[in-house]
């Protein structure tokens, strides 16, 4: 089946479900919103796990949601699916003048700078105005820093960024010594923000690697629980030293 035929089939199914299915007929953009967020996180999980079958399935679910929103938009006389498709096509052409115009770029950084400049010409009041408020904090920090970079607000090299990390850590220690809860919270946030910046200079996805660490911790911790159960114990009955020994043994086995 061609892409055109497949997409047309999906749209036709959506039309039919919206007409005949009580659940689909009941949905609004508000009721779909949390489901869309859930589907998006399921896609990110599949990407983190490098699960291509899962990625394929989750892309289908998200595509369904996009068609669903367009269907509701048409019913409310707000916009049509054709307008959505035309809109994104025109935007891509407008924001890629090095492909569809006479602008010359040398690398991907030039493309990003042009993109932000064009957005400002389109009426954006700030280079940061396009960062969604509801983004997870780590992702938002990364996007804020990337956008600030496009106007030159950026460190020269990773060594300077690391100096900033060390400076923020020192300030956190000072706040802890003062035992000022508000100051501690502020400085801890600054440390995290500077570490995320350092991750960017290392070309690391801070959100992605943190999630991988979360998954690794969950895996090792559940193994600890299983090992303890095999010994007729629970982790709550073990000392910290015993649990640490168990943790290190699991790490050792993983490396073999």
């Amino acid at each position: 089946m061609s892409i055109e035929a497949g997409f047309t089939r999906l749209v036709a199914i959506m039309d039919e479900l919206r007409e005949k299915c009580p659940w689909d007929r009941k949905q609004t953009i508000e009721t779909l919103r949390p489901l869309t967020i859930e589907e998006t996180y399921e896609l990110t999980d599949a990407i983190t796990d490098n699960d291509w079958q899962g990625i394929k399935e989750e892309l289908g679910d998200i595509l369904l949601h996009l068609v669903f929103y367009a269907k509701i938009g048409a019913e409310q006389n707000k916009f049509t699916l054709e307008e959505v498709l035309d809109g994104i096509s025109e935007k891509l052409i407008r924001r890629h003048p090095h492909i569809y115009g006479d602008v010359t770029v040398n690398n991907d950084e030039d493309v990003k700078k042009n993109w932000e400049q064009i957005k400002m010409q389109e009426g954006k009041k700030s280079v940061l105005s396009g960062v969604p408020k509801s983004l997870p904090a780590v992702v938002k920090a990364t996007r804020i820093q990337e956008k600030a970079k496009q106007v030159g607000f950026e460190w020269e090299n990773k060594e300077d960024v690391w100096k900033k990390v060390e400076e923020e850590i020192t300030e956190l220690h000072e706040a802890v010594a003062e035992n000022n809860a508000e100051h501690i919270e502020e400085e801890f946030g600054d440390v995290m923000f500077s570490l995320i910046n350092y991750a960017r200079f290392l070309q690391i996805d801070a959100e992605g690697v943190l999630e991988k660490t979360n998954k690794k911790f969950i895996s090792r911790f559940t193994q600890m629980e299983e090992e303890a159960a095999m010994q007729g114990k629970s982790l709550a009955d073990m000392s910290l030293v015993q649990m640490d020994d168990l943790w290190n043994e699991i790490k050792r086995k993983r490396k073999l």
Side-chain angles (χ1 to χ4, degrees):
M1 182 180 293
S2 68
I3 294 176
E4 293 82 359
F7 191 72
T8 299
R9 182 187 183 202
L10 175 60
V11 172
I13 291 173
M14 182 73 261
D15 289 343
E16 188 170 27
L17 292 177
R18 188 67 171 169
E19 179 184 350
K20 299 179 180 179
C21 175
W23 185 89
D24 289 281
R25 192 166 55 240
K26 185 179 179 181
Q27 300 313 304
T28 66
I29 56 173
E30 289 79 15
T31 61
L32 283 178
R33 180 181 181 275
L35 302 179
T36 305
I37 293 173
E38 181 180 341
E39 293 295 352
T40 303
Y41 277 108
E42 288 178 359
L43 173 60
T44 61
D45 282 345
I47 292 172
T48 300
D49 295 338
N50 200 31
D51 176 7
W52 285 100
Q53 178 63 29
I55 292 172
K56 182 182 74 171
E57 293 176 3
E58 299 306 333
L59 285 175
D61 290 341
I62 289 178
L63 184 56
L64 170 62
H65 277 240
L66 299 181
V67 173
F68 210 150
Y69 285 116
K71 176 64 176 177
I72 296 174
E75 292 171 351
Q76 298 292 325
N77 294 317
K78 300 298 184 181
F79 56 81
T80 65
L81 179 56
E82 290 76 13
E83 289 173 331
V84 172
L85 296 173
D86 288 342
I88 186 58
S89 294
E90 291 300 322
K91 179 189 290 186
L92 288 172
I93 291 171
R94 187 170 62 251
R95 294 188 181 178
H96 289 79
H98 55 289
I99 302 296
Y100 302 103
D102 55 5
V103 173
T104 300
V105 297
N106 297 314
N107 50 47
D108 64 314
E109 289 301 323
D110 286 349
V111 174
K112 291 179 183 177
K113 290 178 181 178
N114 286 340
W115 184 282
E116 294 300 333
Q117 290 173 359
I118 293 169
K119 286 175 67 175
M120 294 297 288
Q121 294 168 5
E122 293 172 347
K124 299 291 185 181
K125 295 182 179 180
S126 167
V127 294
L128 302 181
S129 61
V131 180
K133 296 178 181 178
S134 57
L135 274 180
V138 175
V139 178
K140 183 186 289 187
T142 302
R143 295 295 294 133
I144 288 171
Q145 293 167 7
E146 289 173 343
K147 286 183 174 293
K149 175 184 178 181
Q150 302 311 318
V151 295
F153 194 70
E154 178 79 308
W155 294 100
E156 290 291 332
N157 53 62
K158 64 178 181 295
E159 288 75 22
D160 288 340
V161 180
W162 183 249
K163 288 178 183 178
K164 184 62 177 177
V165 172
E166 292 179 322
E167 176 187 323
E168 297 295 355
I169 291 175
T170 297
E171 292 179 1
L172 174 60
H173 286 313
E174 292 172 352
V176 172
E178 295 170 0
N179 197 29
N180 184 320
E182 184 176 347
H183 194 197
I184 291 171
E185 183 178 281
E186 178 184 354
E187 295 302 336
F188 189 85
D190 289 346
V191 170
M192 292 184 68
F193 193 83
S194 60
L195 279 172
I196 292 168
N197 203 14
Y198 190 59
R200 287 180 47 248
F201 273 77
L202 297 178
Q203 297 184 335
I204 292 173
D205 171 19
E207 172 77 16
V209 297
L210 180 58
E211 179 56 17
K212 288 179 181 178
T213 297
N214 289 339
K215 288 178 178 288
K216 180 171 63 176
F217 183 90
I218 291 171
S219 175
R220 289 179 180 174
F221 193 85
T222 52
Q223 279 189 269
M224 284 176 59
E225 292 174 317
E226 292 168 2
E227 291 284 345
M230 290 174 62
Q231 299 174 20
K233 304 176 183 178
S234 72
L235 293 183
D237 299 326
M238 302 174 71
S239 68
L240 181 58
V241 172
Q242 290 174 316
M243 286 189 284
D244 193 48
D245 288 341
L246 199 55
W247 178 273
N248 289 328
E249 177 63 18
I250 292 169
K251 285 178 61 178
R252 187 189 66 80
K253 289 179 180 179
R254 284 286 185 92
K255 293 179 180 179
L256 294 179

